[in-house]
Structure formats: C-alpha cells, structure tokens
Amino acid sequence: MLVKWMRCTVVDRRGFERGQRKWAELLGEPGFRAQSGGWSRARPGVAHVFAFWENRVFYDSFMARGHERLAADQSGTYTDPQVKLFEYRFDVKTGFEPCFTDADVVRVAHSKVREDRVEHFALMQEKVWNPAMAGSPGMLRGVFGEAPGHEFLVLSMWQSEAERGKYRPASAARLSARAETETDVEELTGDVVRLEPSWTV
C-alpha cells in the first residue's frame, strides 16, 4: 500500500474546501483506497491530506491521467505544498484499514532517521511504540510507512482529541528513552489534524 501525505498553507479557505470536496471523483479510480484530511490543531491555516493507494503503479497511472484536472479546482487557494509518498511497512495496532469515519483526529509523526539506525528505529517502532499506542484509550488504528532517504511516517487515528490527549508527554519521554529515539532520529516533526468529514472519500 502507498500512503500519500500532503501539507500546505491555505490562503483561500472557502475555495480550498470547495475544491477538496471534488476529490470525491477519486471513487472508482483503479487502485484507489481512501482519502481524507483536515486542519492542523496547532498551526492556523495549515491543511493536511492523506491518500491511500493499492500500490505505486496505480498511483502513477492516476497522476498521469486525472490528477491535474482535479487539482486545478484548488489552484491559487494554497501555498507551500509539501507532498511525500510512503510505502506501507506495518500496522500500528492491528488490521489497518484506511477508514476515517470513526476517527475525529489523526496524529502524524514524520521522522528523518540516521542511515545506520534505520533498522533499529523500525524495530523500536514495532516493539516499543506500537504496543504503547495500541494500549492507549481511543487509539483506533495506524500505519507505519517508509520513504526513500530514511524517512518514516507514523499515522495514527484517534476517536477524539480528548482521548489522544491522554497519551501524555511523561510516558512519551519514557518510551523515547527506552527506544533510543534521540540516537536514531535526525529530525522529528509532527502535528495533530482535526478531520473534516466532507473531505473523506
């Protein structure tokens, strides 16, 4: 599975949201699984969009045929687009499906990992972070993906922001020390995204 993550700064909110709803035309595209997104809780005007495809072949085919027509509806409504593609490596929790209807927020964590620490980082995600997140109340499901250049994405879906808020800094610091995250990671950025149901395809 291929995970696409797009982040941008929106300058015309109404126009952007109108264009976002038109992505419903993705339904029926070969290899398309799901798409959703919403607004950053921490950064006003920043939008995130997450899309899931069966594989890179289907995604590339759509990009060559239909992407520009749909994207044209949002032209001029945002700046500073950043798009990254990640290959699925494993579930966070079990039985991941790109379903957004029961989730209120998505937590996104993007890591650039030192080359000699990549396998250790992935192992710690599986053995330390995943069990902790899976045991957190309100955490529904998640996915761990990898991109070229030793970049990783952890996308986790939560029932509500209140539930995600229970996953607190003290326990995160303890887990980070156990996983040797500071040794593994060169750069870590994250955000909490409040999902907009009208963007879900």
Side-chain angles (χ1 to χ4, degrees):
M1 186 167 58
L2 187 73
V3 184
K4 179 180 183 176
W5 171 38
M6 194 272 264
R7 180 179 60 203
C8 63
T9 301
V10 173
V11 293
D12 171 5
R13 186 165 176 141
R14 186 174 294 176
F16 182 85
E17 291 198 306
R18 189 168 54 244
Q20 198 59 43
R21 288 191 287 274
K22 292 192 176 179
W23 290 92
E25 292 181 36
L26 282 168
L27 286 173
E29 275 291 334
F32 173 74
R33 298 279 302 276
Q35 179 169 292
S36 192
W39 298 101
S40 165
R41 293 291 294 138
R43 301 172 194 145
V46 171
H48 296 260
V49 177
F50 311 102
F52 297 83
W53 292 80
E54 291 288 345
N55 57 45
R56 184 68 188 255
V57 174
F58 284 124
Y59 172 76
D60 285 345
S61 171
F62 165 70
M63 290 300 288
R65 289 178 296 100
H67 178 265
E68 287 309 310
R69 181 179 54 80
L70 285 172
D73 285 319
Q74 287 174 302
S75 178
T77 65
Y78 62 88
T79 61
D80 192 29
Q82 296 170 56
V83 178
K84 290 191 178 292
L85 300 173
F86 297 85
E87 289 287 350
Y88 166 90
R89 275 196 59 166
F90 51 75
D91 293 351
V92 179
K93 214 164 180 175
T94 55
F96 178 80
E97 284 294 327
C99 172
F100 293 90
T101 52
D102 54 351
D104 184 36
V105 295
V106 168
R107 172 81 169 92
V108 55
H110 175 226
S111 304
K112 292 185 179 178
V113 176
R114 293 180 176 88
E115 186 174 0
D116 61 332
R117 303 287 294 187
V118 163
E119 288 314 313
H120 180 266
F121 176 80
L123 183 67
M124 290 301 99
Q125 179 66 42
E126 207 166 3
K127 303 295 186 191
V128 176
W129 291 106
N130 278 14
M133 291 175 74
S136 295
M139 192 280 193
L140 299 168
R141 68 189 75 82
V143 64
F144 179 78
E146 181 176 4
H150 324 301
E151 293 189 38
F152 294 86
L153 183 75
V154 179
L155 207 63
S156 55
M157 300 181 188
W158 299 76
Q159 252 169 3
S160 71
E161 195 161 354
E163 293 291 353
R164 200 208 69 83
K166 294 174 185 174
Y167 188 65
R168 271 297 167 227
S171 56
R174 189 179 71 250
L175 292 166
S176 182
R178 190 170 144 214
E180 301 175 20
T181 303
E182 284 191 14
T183 306
D184 291 352
V185 174
E186 288 180 350
E187 188 181 322
L188 173 64
T189 56
D191 210 348
V192 176
V193 182
R194 181 179 290 282
L195 293 173
E196 288 286 345
S198 64
W199 298 10
T200 298
V201 182

